[in-house]
Amino acid sequence: MAKINSNYQKLQAGYLFPEIGRRVRAFSQQNPEAKIIRLGIGDVVLPLPNPIIQAMKLGADELAQRGTFKGYGPEQGYDFLLAAIAEHYRSQGASVEADEVFVSDGSKCDTANIQEIFALDNTIAVTDPVYPVYVDTNVMAGRTGMSDGKGRYAGLTYLPTTVENKFEPALPEIPVDIVYLCSPNNPTGAVMSRANLQKWVDWAKKNEAIILFDAAYEAFIQEPGHVHSIFELPGAREVAIEFRSFSKTAGFTGTRCAYTVVPKELMARNDKGEKVAIHSLWMRRQTTKFNGVSYPIQKAAAAVFSIEGKAAIEENISYTMENARLIREGLSSLGFSVNGGVNAPYIWLETPGKMDSWAFFDQLLNQCHVVGTPGSGFGSCGQGYFRISAFGFRENVEAAIERIRTQLKL
Ligand code: MLT
């Protein structure tokens, strides 16, 4: 009989967001009249802006003509989009060449897939709390032992990010080969300071480690001076891979488009101790396993960088960040301790009396019909925290705060 990859059996329960979906569906079936407000998964609600939709339509029209029809595109992405992305990086003070950009169907997939080009005996560090994809994919690959039942797996190095350290991960005290960093952070909403990120880059250089830098939320940074791309920092091109996405930035969660930058200088060693370029490995992986993002979607993504596209997405980001402000200030005025929500679309609140995160989830759902995300779903240091997403319609955000004010009885 065929055998399974037993590493999958080490995974804890289901993936976080389907589990939330399951509980919400069960509640909804028992309470069909309840008007549920969903501020759980960070999914966009605003329609795609007109300049982006127009570009998508024009792209689709081209496919309807013999002279402009396209079949398979380049796996890495069309040149027009790669050039626009490289130019955008330059405008942010980061040096990235167009042929270092790999367009894909999502940062979730890229941050999940990247680990497979690295040896199984690399030591891996993640923050705690953490976006679960980084952990689960390393569990699936066999880089960990069993879970302790509280969200930690043997063999991974966890870097706590809590109120005490202002959600800034400290450098690891034991040797680590690969570290996942996410800034602005999902789920804490914190942004790493330039000085701290530079320390990480210097550490990685000294230790021949690699930083997998998830910058999917960089466009939500509101305060000046923060790092948008790790490649703004000296030395980063030798130690980092960066992931970015059009999903939250420009409303592509349904249409799917993202990109990953692998600088040509980035090296790691093979079994013989020789240095090998990661760029060529990722290229090899993508050309074998991925056939590119569809042409109309890449046209739409390129329009995000046009003058009109930029203005439109800035408006949507401002809308979301105003929601974040309302949630932050609303909850804070009700006595909650809130973090994040200033440079990221997530508010990370401390549950009253450090109450269990899932218990708080159930109370909020039952009493207020509001859905958030239990912090413990992101790791053991997330216990006693709760994430609220600012992606939502303004009226729902306002109604959610009002319901929490008037209906939540703890
Ligand atoms: C989240 O809510 O954390 C995100 O929507 C998940 C994702 O981007 O995959």
Side-chain angles (χ1 to χ4, degrees):
M1 189 180 270
K3 296 203 179 95
I4 62 156
N5 173 352
S6 303
N7 294 314
Y8 276 64
Q9 294 191 311
K10 295 180 193 159
L11 292 166
Q12 289 184 297
Y15 184 59
L16 176 61
F17 295 106
E19 172 59 19
I20 292 173
R22 197 187 59 71
R23 291 194 187 209
V24 174
R25 270 193 307 281
F27 175 82
S28 216
Q29 271 159 15
Q30 282 158 17
N31 303 275
E33 75 300 340
K35 289 204 164 36
I36 296 174
I37 299 177
R38 292 163 202 271
L39 302 174
I41 190 161
D43 196 3
V44 292
V45 294
L46 298 174
L48 284 165
N50 198 42
I52 295 171
I53 278 291
Q54 288 313 321
M56 194 186 294
K57 285 184 179 166
L58 286 174
D61 285 344
E62 284 184 54
L63 301 184
Q65 306 296 326
R66 213 176 246 256
T68 48
F69 171 76
K70 283 164 187 63
Y72 291 127
E75 293 89 348
Q76 203 182 333
Y78 283 98
D79 284 344
F80 62 81
L81 181 54
L82 302 178
I85 292 169
E87 180 51 39
H88 181 61
Y89 268 110
R90 274 192 286 279
S91 75
Q92 293 187 319
S95 83
V96 166
E97 299 302 322
D99 63 358
E100 294 173 322
V101 178
F102 293 81
V103 170
S104 78
D105 61 345
S107 287
K108 178 179 182 175
C109 321
D110 286 353
T111 55
N113 293 331
I114 196 78
Q115 50 75 31
E116 70 177 64
I117 61 170
F118 295 104
L120 286 181
D121 58 0
N122 278 299
T123 49
I124 310 285
V126 292
T127 59
D128 181 3
V130 63
Y131 180 46
V133 171
Y134 316 151
V135 172
D136 286 5
T137 52
N138 278 289
V139 175
M140 290 169 178
R143 282 195 194 85
T144 74
M146 300 302 286
S147 145
D148 65 0
K150 293 192 193 122
R152 286 198 172 187
Y153 289 90
L156 287 186
T157 297
Y158 288 90
L159 310 167
T161 52
T162 57
V163 169
E164 287 72 36
N165 61 11
K166 296 200 177 72
F167 304 101
E168 290 254 8
L171 296 173
E173 283 161 9
I174 56 171
V176 161
D177 300 309
I178 296 172
V179 60
Y180 292 80
L181 297 177
C182 174
S183 179
N185 190 263
N186 179 13
T188 68
V191 63
M192 284 177 77
S193 70
R194 188 173 286 267
N196 197 30
L197 197 52
Q198 184 68 59
K199 270 193 214 149
W200 274 97
V201 169
D202 298 343
W203 164 87
K205 219 168 153 177
K206 188 161 155 235
N207 292 281
E208 291 203 351
I210 288 183
I211 299 172
L212 302 175
F213 189 70
D214 186 346
Y217 298 95
E218 62 79 27
F220 293 87
I221 293 176
Q222 306 292 299
E223 295 174 325
H226 289 300
V227 171
H228 284 252
S229 166
I230 196 165
F231 302 123
E232 292 170 48
L233 302 179
R237 287 180 52 86
E238 288 150 66
V239 297
I241 294 175
E242 179 163 292
F243 306 91
R244 282 192 180 191
S245 175
F246 293 98
S247 282
K248 318 291 160 92
T249 313
F252 280 59
T253 53
T255 41
R256 314 299 308 148
C257 199
Y259 51 99
T260 288
V261 173
V262 186
K264 301 244 182 66
E265 288 95 315
L266 183 67
M267 301 282 164
R269 293 189 189 273
N270 66 12
D271 289 345
K272 299 190 194 102
E274 298 154 344
K275 285 190 174 179
V276 177
I278 297 299
H279 183 276
S280 59
L281 257 57
W282 187 242
M283 174 74 90
R284 185 71 177 81
R285 192 264 173 213
Q286 290 299 81
T287 48
T288 302
K289 295 196 178 183
F290 183 62
N291 252 342
V293 171
S294 80
Y295 179 71
I297 298 302
Q298 291 197 50
K299 285 302 257 189
V304 168
F305 300 111
S306 66
I307 293 172
E308 302 77 18
K310 269 189 194 150
I313 67 161
E314 262 166 35
E315 207 175 295
N316 287 359
I317 288 172
S318 300
Y319 180 98
T320 303
M321 292 313 290
E322 175 61 9
N323 284 349
R325 186 188 68 79
L326 291 171
I327 298 170
R328 218 179 55 236
E329 293 181 1
L331 292 177
S332 170
S333 74
L334 297 177
F336 286 93
S337 293
V338 293
N339 309 281
V342 177
N343 293 300
Y346 296 123
I347 289 83
W348 186 240
L349 59 97
E350 291 165 56
T351 57
K354 284 274 173 191
M355 155 180 199
D356 174 83
S357 300
W358 277 108
F360 186 73
F361 171 91
D362 288 333
Q363 289 216 12
L364 204 60
L365 180 59
N366 283 296
Q367 297 176 5
C368 308
H369 307 165
V370 171
V371 180
T373 307
S376 56
F378 297 100
S380 62
C381 290
Q383 182 57 274
Y385 287 90
F386 196 78
R387 194 192 78 174
I388 299 200
S389 155
F391 295 107
F393 293 116
R394 179 69 39 79
E395 58 274 24
N396 287 342
V397 163
E398 286 168 345
I401 305 293
E402 186 54 19
R403 287 189 199 172
I404 293 172
R405 192 176 74 75
T406 56
Q407 295 171 28
L408 187 66
K409 305 275 176 282
L410 293 165

